[in-house]
Amino acid sequence: MSAPPNFIKYIIEADIAAGKNDGRVHTRFPPEPNGYLHIGHAKSICLNFGLAEEYNGLCNLRFDDTDPAKEEVEYVESIKSDVRWLGFDWDGRLYHASDYFEQLFEYAVQLIKKGKAYVDSLGSDEIREYRGTLTQAGKNSPYRERSIEENLDMFERMRAGEYEEGAHVLRAKIDMASPNMLMRDPTLYRIKKVPHYRTGGMWVIYPMYDFTHCLSDSIEGITHSNCTLEFENNRELYDWVLDQLEVYHPQQIEFARLNLNYTVLSKRKLIRLVEEGHVDGWDDPRLPTISGLRRRGYTPESIRNFCERIGVAKADSMVDIALLEYCIREQLNKISLRVMGVLRPLKIIIDNYPEEQVEELDAINNPEDPDMGTRKIPFSRELYIEQDDFMEEPPKKFFRLAPGREVRLRYAYFITCDEVVKDPATGAVTELHCSYDPQTRGGDAPDGRKVKGTLHWVSASHALDARVHLYEHLFLKENPNAVEEDKDFSDYLNPNSSETLKNCKVEPSLNAARPGDRYQFERLGYFSVDTKYNSPEYLIFNRIVTLRDTWAKILKAQQQKK
RNA sequence: UGGGGCGUAGCCAAGCGGCAAGGCACAGGGUUUUGGUCCCUGCAUUCGGAGGUUCGAAUCCUCCCGCCCCAGCCA
């Protein structure tokens, strides 16, 4: 029932045992609304909401919206719907850092009054120079010793809009020689004459992350503030601000962010893929965004299971995307309806089957779940099978159709291939003439003879037209972030990551398929009806993931031998 | 050359002084009207390395090596 142990749970359990925060557990998921959520965020969402659930606590959704230049309502709406879709509920505790702007301003004034913050009038380049380097101490700004009165006055004027952008900033007065760069008088407020998507033109100064985040956590009574590893250096500042202000002090805990191979999980890179048109929007099914995974056909449960399986720790890691694929197969195997669909059709004619005759055969909807029942599928003289299921000169271990060979058509009959018809110009196989054994109706031979292969098929005259999108890894390189000299991560994009098959044939029961419905196409994989595009003439499917394909492995091994 | 972190199998990851969980991947076998599912089996004499403490070390100590993060008026 409960997810596996991790170091954050141990911290929480120790805190509860010690009576810290009266045994309360209160977490938060604090996205900045400057992009769409991806599966890395899902890890954080599952962690924070999951912790709250497990320890009878609460988890807030808080937008960390302190940079009006980057943030938009479109993003907050998408984030809210993604969190909900994943199955989590902030239950009315939806907050925004921008809700706290007035309070934050007051805190800044307090800091100034304590002599712990000052208005600096150095330019940004100068501030950088004065900061020193990793190995050299910085030096104090000439404005560092302004009087409290002057600081107060100037900070009020900053707020009043009396200065231009960049003219002044409010800085914490800490230690320009600190070995931690973040403690060298970090900027607390900057002037930005940019309207905020929520506060409009109310403010022209905006607080920085380090000042905002810890205080927002404090205001909300957060007990355990979980963030990713790159914020470890910020913790000293997080603690400093809260200590100076003598306010309620949550605990920041850092864990490793998710990395997945064959894809990218950084907002900056995802934004580029979208804006440069490498993909079809934020919900492109090849993207690791929540909206992309949703459109691809992934279920929330499978993503939650994935997040549970990868664990939470402090070591930088790169998870194999095969685990994500395993998680969606695992669920879809249990719940999805089986149907037959032919992606690359090859026509076969059963010469000894009466013309005009049609039989309704029984097919099982889901062998994993007998309660899902059966359905009828039409069988007739002309059928389509998969091109891959026939080979004129079959290699070893090929169990499918070949000249003179007998196979089973699933739920139908045994058929034998009698004749191969080819295009005289190209030599390509255009159709097959076969004969069936009437005794094998349903798929078993009364004489007990066996066949090695079972093929999926569809009746030519009854089949529905469909278009199918096949997807592969977005990148060819396992780690597209490891860019070589003179290269860009986009150079590693897989040119074959998306393929559209326009001539597919699926069984007639699929006329009931609605956008978002998921099916297993037997022997092929799991597919979902696209939710973005549709056509009155044909169905559009996205391949979520293939089935495990042992034959493909054998083939690959055979080819490698040669 | 400053500071903060991290190193357990191909990939994740438990383990917190008593003698290496689990999952994915991979390999073999069984069942099978999906080359799917399911079921067995195998897969670290060893925990980045070297010393030390101890009856006993992945766990404690010392040194070394490797990787990640920090010099935004981004978060």
Side-chain angles (χ1 to χ4, degrees):
Chain A
M1 180 79 235
S2 70
N6 64 53
F7 78 100
I8 298 181
K9 290 189 188 185
Y10 290 138
I11 292 172
I12 290 177
E13 282 163 22
D15 288 347
I16 291 172
K20 191 175 172 185
N21 301 310
D22 305 317
R24 222 165 33 85
V25 173
H26 202 332
T27 56
R28 97 270 94 111
F29 171 60
E32 182 188 14
N34 67 344
Y36 280 62
L37 259 28
H38 54 66
I39 192 158
H41 294 106
K43 175 180 181 180
S44 176
I45 292 166
C46 291
L47 203 220
N48 284 299
F49 280 92
L51 250 16
E53 199 170 321
E54 193 165 341
Y55 295 102
N56 281 310
L58 301 169
C59 180
N60 298 352
L61 173 60
R62 179 171 73 231
F63 288 97
D64 217 335
D65 53 358
T66 57
D67 185 356
K70 292 181 182 162
E71 298 150 5
E72 294 174 25
V73 264
E74 177 195 349
Y75 296 129
V76 349
E77 290 313 315
S78 76
I79 289 169
K80 281 155 68 179
S81 78
D82 285 350
V83 172
R84 257 188 245 110
W85 179 77
L86 277 171
F88 298 102
D89 187 1
W90 52 88
D91 197 28
R93 290 181 314 282
L94 171 65
Y95 303 117
H96 305 258
S98 54
D99 291 338
Y100 311 135
F101 280 171
E102 189 61 49
Q103 201 167 346
L104 258 13
F105 181 85
E106 290 308 318
Y107 277 131
V109 168
Q110 276 185 47
L111 230 38
I112 293 171
K113 287 181 178 167
K114 287 178 185 243
K116 297 295 184 180
Y118 63 98
V119 173
D120 194 3
S121 306
L122 250 24
S124 55
D125 292 343
E126 291 168 307
I127 287 184
R128 191 183 331 114
E129 283 163 27
Y130 275 71
R131 189 153 33 222
T133 68
L134 296 178
T135 51
Q136 286 171 232
K139 54 184 181 184
N140 291 167
S141 163
Y143 304 99
R144 200 173 196 258
E145 298 309 327
R146 279 210 251 245
S147 69
I148 289 175
E149 292 67 34
E150 187 180 6
N151 282 322
L152 250 18
D153 177 62
M154 290 187 76
F155 188 46
E156 287 289 354
R157 287 168 176 231
M158 280 170 63
R159 175 179 185 166
E162 292 183 25
Y163 307 118
E164 290 311 303
E165 275 188 27
H168 312 284
V169 291
L170 184 73
R171 288 232 254 171
K173 191 190 277 190
I174 308 179
D175 177 10
M176 290 306 290
S178 171
N180 181 352
M181 298 295 289
L182 282 159
M183 296 300 276
R184 319 244 265 224
D185 289 11
T187 301
L188 266 21
Y189 269 88
R190 74 287 212 190
I191 299 170
K192 270 201 185 197
K193 300 194 170 175
V194 174
H196 187 278
Y197 77 98
R198 289 189 81 241
T199 60
M202 190 131 66
W203 295 86
V204 292
I205 57 171
Y206 292 93
M208 300 287 289
Y209 166 84
D210 287 301
F211 186 66
T212 308
H213 203 90
C214 55
L215 287 167
S216 301
D217 283 345
S218 177
I219 290 166
E220 293 176 19
I222 299 304
T223 55
H224 303 271
S225 179
N226 305 305
C227 62
T228 47
L229 250 31
E230 65 270 28
F231 289 99
E232 270 174 326
N233 298 319
N234 299 61
R235 189 175 63 235
E236 191 178 357
L237 180 51
Y238 183 105
D239 291 336
W240 183 90
V241 171
L242 298 178
D243 285 344
Q244 297 309 314
L245 261 9
E246 298 174 272
V247 294
Y248 169 72
H249 196 145
Q251 179 181 5
Q252 175 177 306
I253 302 167
E254 310 85 12
F255 65 93
R257 67 189 305 159
L258 172 65
N259 291 293
L260 259 192
N261 56 12
Y262 299 106
T263 191
V264 291
L265 245 35
S266 89
K267 274 189 196 171
R268 205 203 104 239
K269 291 191 172 101
L270 290 170
I271 266 184
R272 274 195 54 198
L273 291 175
V274 172
E275 289 184 348
E276 292 173 16
H278 294 112
V279 296
D280 177 28
W282 285 100
D283 61 352
D284 186 296
R286 293 167 293 177
L287 252 21
T289 51
I290 302 302
S291 51
L293 291 165
R294 175 168 58 227
R295 178 149 167 244
R296 175 86 167 249
Y298 271 81
T299 59
E301 292 88 334
S302 67
I303 294 173
R304 282 189 252 121
N305 283 336
F306 171 76
C307 290
E308 188 159 300
R309 272 185 241 244
I310 57 176
V312 177
K314 295 198 69 159
D316 286 307
S317 62
M318 165 93 70
V319 174
D320 193 339
I321 199 161
L323 180 60
L324 216 210
E325 295 172 344
Y326 172 84
C327 290
I328 187 60
R329 282 192 194 109
E330 179 188 45
Q331 190 192 3
L332 262 18
N333 173 55
K334 290 185 202 130
I335 65 170
S336 69
L337 220 63
R338 263 95 246 234
V339 294
M340 292 201 283
V342 176
L343 266 30
R344 297 176 178 87
L346 171 61
K347 164 113 30 114
I348 67 171
I349 298 142
I350 315 290
D351 290 319
N352 61 339
Y353 193 86
E355 285 187 52
E356 307 302 318
Q357 180 172 308
V358 177
E359 288 178 87
E360 295 282 312
L361 302 169
D362 292 305
I364 293 165
N365 285 331
N366 184 352
E368 302 296 314
D369 181 6
D371 290 345
M372 287 176 73
T374 61
R375 68 184 184 288
K376 299 283 188 189
I377 42 177
F379 183 87
S380 63
R381 191 167 189 268
E382 298 198 356
L383 313 168
Y384 291 113
I385 63 167
E386 206 70 57
Q387 284 172 21
D388 284 352
D389 285 339
F390 171 79
M391 279 185 104
E392 205 172 5
E393 290 167 28
K396 259 196 165 50
K397 291 187 181 170
F398 183 83
F399 301 149
R400 284 109 97 140
L401 200 59
R405 191 182 285 185
E406 184 173 52
V407 298
R408 172 170 39 232
L409 292 180
R410 180 142 233 229
Y411 300 126
Y413 294 96
F414 284 12
I415 59 163
T416 302
C417 175
D418 302 319
E419 188 193 341
V420 181
V421 181
K422 296 188 201 173
D423 179 328
T426 65
V429 177
T430 53
E431 57 180 45
L432 266 24
H433 280 88
C434 303
S435 51
Y436 84 117
D437 176 356
Q439 299 297 306
T440 58
R441 189 180 204 268
D444 280 306
D447 63 5
R449 77 179 189 279
K450 302 288 183 198
V451 287
K452 296 278 270 183
T454 300
L455 311 187
H456 60 277
W457 53 274
V458 102
S459 167
S461 60
H462 303 269
L464 269 29
D465 290 322
R467 193 167 275 205
V468 174
H469 298 289
L470 304 181
Y471 301 110
E472 286 178 16
H473 297 157
L474 227 202
F475 289 88
L476 292 167
K477 200 169 190 282
E478 174 156 12
N479 180 6
N481 299 306
V483 247
E484 296 143 304
E485 196 64 30
D486 301 319
K487 295 263 190 184
D488 182 75
F489 82 100
S490 63
D491 294 332
Y492 307 122
L493 248 6
N494 176 3
N496 304 315
S497 60
S498 175
E499 181 182 7
T500 301
L501 268 20
K502 298 181 174 173
N503 196 23
C504 312
K505 301 287 185 182
V506 301
E507 66 169 72
S509 73
L510 252 11
N511 63 9
R514 297 292 168 261
D517 287 351
R518 302 178 184 88
Y519 298 90
Q520 184 196 96
F521 285 12
E522 293 213 36
R523 304 210 303 136
L524 296 175
Y526 296 97
F527 297 75
S528 70
V529 181
D530 196 73
T531 50
K532 190 167 183 173
Y533 303 113
N534 59 56
S535 157
E537 290 134 62
Y538 49 84
L539 284 156
I540 302 179
F541 289 97
N542 296 319
R543 183 170 71 193
I544 305 167
V545 67
T546 62
L547 249 29
R548 252 184 88 222
D549 191 348
T550 307
W551 169 239
K553 276 181 206 163
I554 294 169
L555 252 188
K556 202 176 167 190
Q558 284 181 351
Q559 280 163 356
Q560 275 171 356
K561 255 184 202 172
K562 286 177 193 171

